[in-house]
Amino acid sequence: MNDWDRLYDRAETLLSRLEGLLRADAPDPDWNAAAFRWRKTGRTGFIERVRYPDCITFEALQSIERQKSLIDQNTRQFVRHHPANNVLLTGARGTGKSSLVKAMLNKYADDGLRLIEVEKHDLIDLPEIVEKIYRRPERFILYCDDLSFESGEPGYKALKVVLDGSIATASENVLVYATSNRRHLMPEYMVDNQDTRHIGGEIHPSEAVEEKTSLSERFGLWVSFYPFDQEQYLNIVARWLAYFGIEKMDDSIREEALRWALGRGSRNGRVAWQFARDWAGREKAGRKTADKTEFREEQ
């Protein structure tokens, strides 16, 4: 063994000891809070409270009534200790997928619902996270936002295990809610379909295609989100303008809202929220400037 090997072994030993100390010092989270994140320090993970969670409400989400109904029913079943499904929310960007998950937390936090956000690169720690909360009385949603995988990523198999269980049964107090722009969560290539076989008039997909659809199939509830039309977009704009204290949306605001969406190439809830913030901010800034001008003139 040369000097570099000895140095490497000593560094590994030191890191292991430090991680042990960090693990021992990591405080238990305050389970009276509702929102949490999974954090990593080196190779050691812990559940950290989110001090200022998003407070979006269920009622604030517009033009996705069917999706709201499906997610609400499933979440209500879960918090009442009835059978419920893992959920995959897919579809157009900016249509409220992530906001709906957060709204469920705000609606049912007082009933014992808790949310733990897990980044995609930390999905390999899912079995450890489940182990930490296995005997807790609360009901936990493990939340994975904007989820997709490339071939060979390690978190893919860990998520499959948590969704379906391995030799150990899946935890009764845990569900996974994931959002994605891809329904099958993995890229699909033309070459994957070239191995599809036609036998006796039947189509038999290739093993590559079967593998890529198998993860999505482990989610018991699929909820799809679709792009908004013009009137839906304007209704959402009006809702957010009212939130900022602008009760009436006249023709000039409608034209500006449509021009704003055209400039971004999309009509969705996120664009509507951004326009409302911009318009309300300019309105209030202009009002303050006018008030200051009038005050100076009076002086």
Side-chain angles (χ1 to χ4, degrees), residues 92-158:
R93 68 186 189 276
T95 48
K97 299 185 295 294
S98 301
S99 295
L100 184 50
V101 177
K102 299 169 189 173
M104 288 296 94
L105 175 65
N106 293 323
K107 183 173 182 178
Y108 291 108
D110 290 341
D111 297 314
L113 186 65
R114 301 292 181 264
L115 186 143
I116 303 176
E117 185 175 17
V118 184
E119 300 289 343
K120 188 181 78 168
H121 56 267
D122 290 329
L123 288 176
I124 55 174
D125 299 324
L126 282 177
E128 183 180 350
I129 299 171
V130 172
E131 185 68 25
K132 287 179 178 291
I133 59 180
Y134 183 74
R135 296 187 180 278
R136 295 291 313 173
E138 298 86 2
R139 313 295 281 174
F140 291 92
I141 288 176
L142 302 184
Y143 169 49
C144 309
D145 190 29
D146 199 17
L147 188 62
S148 64
F149 293 99
E150 299 298 330
S151 298
E153 289 194 72
Y156 176 82
K157 293 188 180 297

Side-chain angles (χ1 to χ4, degrees), residues 229-279:
D229 61 29
Q230 178 170 300
E231 284 308 308
Q232 287 175 320
Y233 166 72
L234 290 173
N235 287 338
I236 298 170
V237 169
R239 169 67 181 78
W240 286 123
L241 286 173
Y243 173 81
F244 288 115
I246 302 174
E247 298 296 337
K248 184 179 179 181
M249 187 169 73
D250 58 25
D251 289 342
S252 65
I253 299 178
R254 287 171 61 91
E255 290 177 8
E256 285 296 323
L258 292 175
R259 190 174 293 113
W260 181 279
L262 184 63
R264 281 149 184 78
S266 180
R267 292 190 299 256
N268 61 43
R270 183 180 298 123
V271 171
W273 162 254
Q274 292 167 348
F275 169 77
R277 283 173 60 89
D278 179 78
W279 185 270

Side-chain angles (χ1 to χ4, degrees), residues 129-265:
I129 299 171
V130 172
E131 185 68 25
K132 287 179 178 291
I133 59 180
Y134 183 74
R135 296 187 180 278
R136 295 291 313 173
E138 298 86 2
R139 313 295 281 174
F140 291 92
I141 288 176
L142 302 184
Y143 169 49
C144 309
D145 190 29
D146 199 17
L147 188 62
S148 64
F149 293 99
E150 299 298 330
S151 298
E153 289 194 72
Y156 176 82
K157 293 188 180 297
L159 181 55
K160 286 175 69 174
V161 168
V162 169
L163 290 173
D164 252 4
S166 57
I167 190 171
T169 184
S171 181
E172 183 271 339
N173 69 335
V174 174
L175 287 181
V176 176
Y177 280 24
T179 69
S180 179
N181 294 326
R182 292 176 178 170
R183 189 167 188 176
H184 288 157
L185 300 179
M186 294 185 70
E188 299 175 68
Y189 303 108
M190 182 65 71
V191 68
D192 295 333
N193 293 307
Q194 291 176 356
D195 293 330
T196 298
R197 295 172 295 159
H198 300 263
I199 302 174
E202 295 183 350
I203 298 175
H204 295 265
S206 70
E207 290 183 359
V209 173
E210 292 281 5
E211 173 66 16
K212 290 184 177 182
T213 61
S214 67
L215 179 59
S216 297
E217 289 175 351
R218 283 170 164 79
F219 289 90
L221 181 59
W222 290 4
V223 182
S224 299
F225 291 70
Y226 305 98
F228 297 138
D229 61 29
Q230 178 170 300
E231 284 308 308
Q232 287 175 320
Y233 166 72
L234 290 173
N235 287 338
I236 298 170
V237 169
R239 169 67 181 78
W240 286 123
L241 286 173
Y243 173 81
F244 288 115
I246 302 174
E247 298 296 337
K248 184 179 179 181
M249 187 169 73
D250 58 25
D251 289 342
S252 65
I253 299 178
R254 287 171 61 91
E255 290 177 8
E256 285 296 323
L258 292 175
R259 190 174 293 113
W260 181 279
L262 184 63
R264 281 149 184 78

Side-chain angles (χ1 to χ4, degrees), residues 19 60 121 207 283 291:
E19 287 178 2
H121 56 267
E207 290 183 359
E283 281 284 298
D291 290 344

